[in-house]
Amino acid sequence: MTATRLWIRNPLAILAEGAGAGLVVEGSRIAELVPAGGRPSAAVDETVDASRHVVIPGLVNTHHHFFQTLTRAHPAAINKPLFPWLKALYPVWDKLNEEAFRLATRLAYTELLLSGCTTAGDHHYLYPKGLEAAVDIQVEEARALGIRAVVTRGSMSLPESEGGLPPDALVQDDDTILADSERVLRLFHDPRPGAMVQIGLAPCSPFNVTKRLMRESARLADVHDCRLHTHLGETLDEDAYCLEVFGQRPVDYLEEVGWMNPRVWLAHGIHFTDPEVARLGRAGVGVCHCPTSNMTLASGRCRTCELEAAGSPVGLGVDGSASNDNSNLIEGVRHALMLNRLTYGAEAVTHLDALRWATDGSARCLGRADIGRIAPGREADLALFTLDELRFSGAHDPLAALVLCGAHRADRVMVAGRWRVLDGQPLGVETGRLREEHSRLARTLFGG
């Protein structure tokens, strides 16, 4: 059967060259770009008038912790930097159960979709007893919503009693983690172009996993052709920990455990020296910039421009909703622009740079050449925004207005050629009911 051809016609603006009259979607992919004043090269079955819409590639989120939506603005952790923040929340997170985790996952996916995100990465590292099927739940929820997902099987194996940061009740042993990593890779990981679900391996950070787990995770990634992810270079406390415990800085640690290669992308990447930036770039290691979280926890500023210049892919992530307090990636684009202008200057970083980090840059972090751009042959993952709110009145450049005026909710979102958000509403989700159920569990389990 021939795939339906859909013309998204005459957008107000579009983040693609040679597409002034829009684009044609055929099946799950972009079939062609239509130049200004032109028409599609072949007949179309359906047309969508996009004259009110700014069209951009679907945003790609490369770092998050969905479970943390349940502990936003938690009194125990407000106004603390990373290590004290974690110490305050570990005992709270111990109460996480399967029902709460499923709702947290559903809510985070929905929030991301509404912000124009079409590929959602999550780093779930918390496995209290009863939550052994966390990856399975995240895959189920992604499939139900129709969002593209990169679910990383996170882990913590170095408890406080052995010199790590997390309490003993929240860690698993290396063998349990590795066995489950292999299980979920065999069940869910699809390395092919167009994949809707991919699995990565994500030991949490140097201060809560063993070196053996890092090395064995790298071996599994080679066997199963998957990505590797971890936190690195986030705080000066992390530098001090690595020097005290391992006698080396975080990047040296990364090299020792076999993670200096293009399979790897890191969260944060703030406290790297110039030689370390050069080493990461030569190795092709990607970095996810998390501007909102970095500002909330006062962790510092990612070295985005230097990392890109050195050869590292740079993407964007919202990070956990307890260190960001929302899951809105288009808002993160604005924060990335502002923070990086403060770092590098007003002319060095533009709104197009920030949008690129959240699209093509993030796709490169995930090793994907099928998403992140509006181009023929790419997956039809699109976010369409209107400029109808008062915040946009008087704006002259529609693409710049999305970032500078602060867009926060998409009007339409397409994933793999199918609409998943229409008229600002996620299809198949009762948002009022979801919020009520999620909020109830957050109060009941984590309210103190």
Side-chain angles (χ1 to χ4, degrees):
M1 188 173 71
T2 304
T4 298
R5 282 172 56 87
L6 168 67
W7 181 14
I8 299 175
R9 179 170 58 87
N10 295 338
L12 179 63
I14 184 168
L15 189 56
E17 292 186 9
L23 69 151
V24 176
V25 172
E26 189 169 340
S28 71
R29 295 185 180 178
I30 297 168
E32 64 176 300
L33 306 184
V34 184
R39 296 185 63 83
S41 61
V44 298
D45 303 291
E46 186 181 348
T47 299
V48 170
D49 178 9
S51 59
R52 293 173 52 244
H53 292 95
V54 180
V55 183
I56 63 173
L59 305 179
V60 180
N61 185 63
T62 53
H63 189 65
H64 203 342
H65 307 295
F66 290 175
F67 76 93
Q68 292 181 15
T69 61
L70 293 154
T71 53
R72 298 194 240 229
H74 197 283
I78 291 173
N79 304 328
K80 288 182 169 68
L82 179 66
F83 274 26
W85 176 87
L86 283 169
K87 285 282 195 179
L89 286 174
Y90 279 143
V92 178
W93 292 336
D94 182 52
K95 304 178 183 70
L96 185 66
N97 62 31
E98 191 170 290
E99 180 188 11
F101 181 69
R102 183 176 293 278
L103 285 174
T105 296
R106 189 177 304 163
L107 187 122
Y109 277 140
T110 303
E111 274 191 281
L112 286 166
L113 263 178
L114 288 171
S115 74
C117 176
T118 53
T119 299
D122 190 51
H123 181 184
H124 184 71
Y125 56 80
L126 197 74
Y127 284 83
K129 287 183 180 179
L131 200 60
E132 290 78 11
V135 171
D136 309 61
I137 291 169
Q138 292 197 314
V139 171
E140 289 170 13
E141 290 296 322
R143 287 173 171 167
L145 278 169
I147 193 169
R148 209 179 294 278
V150 178
V151 180
T152 62
R153 203 299 182 185
S155 50
M156 297 192 294
S157 67
L158 190 65
E160 193 172 20
S161 61
E162 297 177 20
L165 205 64
D168 289 40
L170 291 182
V171 305
Q172 297 176 304
D173 64 74
D174 288 351
D175 290 334
T176 298
I177 292 164
L178 292 166
D180 192 57
S181 296
E182 191 142 27
R183 178 186 73 84
V184 298
L185 281 164
R186 292 187 185 281
L187 275 176
F188 304 123
H189 181 55
D190 182 357
R192 298 169 297 178
M196 291 298 292
V197 174
Q198 293 189 329
I199 302 296
L201 300 182
C204 189
S205 67
F207 47 82
N208 51 34
V209 298
T210 65
K211 285 188 175 182
R212 177 189 172 228
L213 182 60
M214 293 290 285
R215 293 190 182 101
E216 289 298 308
S217 295
R219 182 188 64 79
L220 276 180
D222 284 339
V223 170
H224 291 276
D225 189 20
C226 76
R227 309 297 280 184
L228 292 164
H229 184 51
T230 192
H231 298 88
L232 205 80
E234 184 176 3
T235 67
L236 294 173
D237 285 340
E238 179 191 314
D239 285 0
Y241 178 92
C242 287
L243 286 168
E244 180 180 348
V245 175
F246 305 126
Q248 57 191 173
R249 286 178 53 79
V251 173
D252 298 319
Y253 168 92
L254 203 69
E255 185 145 31
E256 183 184 336
V257 296
W259 278 52
M260 286 288 275
N261 63 71
R263 285 196 189 281
V264 175
W265 91 99
L266 309 171
H268 301 295
I270 295 169
H271 298 287
F272 296 145
T273 65
D274 289 345
E276 289 168 346
V277 167
R279 288 166 63 191
L280 292 164
R282 283 195 299 270
V285 174
V287 175
C288 171
H289 177 31
C290 302
T292 310
S293 170
N294 294 164
M295 289 188 286
T296 299
L297 297 177
S299 299
R301 306 171 187 176
C302 177
R303 302 191 65 185
T304 51
C305 292
E306 293 97 330
L307 285 160
E308 274 197 313
S312 288
V314 172
L316 209 63
V318 296
D319 201 5
S321 287
S323 63
N324 175 325
D325 299 305
N326 72 28
S327 306
N328 191 312
L329 191 52
I330 191 65
E331 181 182 272
V333 172
R334 185 170 191 254
H335 289 168
L337 175 68
M338 301 306 179
L339 181 58
N340 282 274
R341 282 191 170 178
L342 190 62
T343 303
Y344 298 106
E347 296 180 346
V349 179
T350 73
H351 64 283
L352 296 176
D353 292 318
L355 286 167
R356 175 172 48 78
W357 291 332
T359 53
D360 189 52
S362 283
R364 290 181 61 218
C365 283
L366 301 179
R368 299 195 64 155
D370 57 338
I371 59 175
R373 290 187 190 177
I374 297 175
R378 296 263 178 156
E379 291 293 301
D381 291 3
L382 305 166
L384 284 66
F385 294 82
T386 64
L387 303 183
D388 296 343
E389 298 172 76
L390 291 177
R391 70 177 66 212
F392 299 113
S393 183
H396 296 270
D397 181 324
L399 277 169
L402 279 189
V403 183
L404 295 171
C405 301
H408 67 281
R409 188 167 180 137
D411 183 63
R412 284 177 173 247
V413 177
M414 174 181 281
V415 185
R418 300 182 64 183
W419 294 115
R420 297 303 181 181
V421 174
L422 286 173
D423 299 323
Q425 297 299 316
L427 302 185
V429 180
E430 296 180 35
T431 54
R433 178 180 176 185
L434 175 58
R435 183 190 181 282
E436 191 280 326
E437 292 176 349
H438 178 274
S439 182
R440 174 180 52 79
L441 278 175
R443 290 192 305 269
T444 302
L445 293 175
F446 308 111

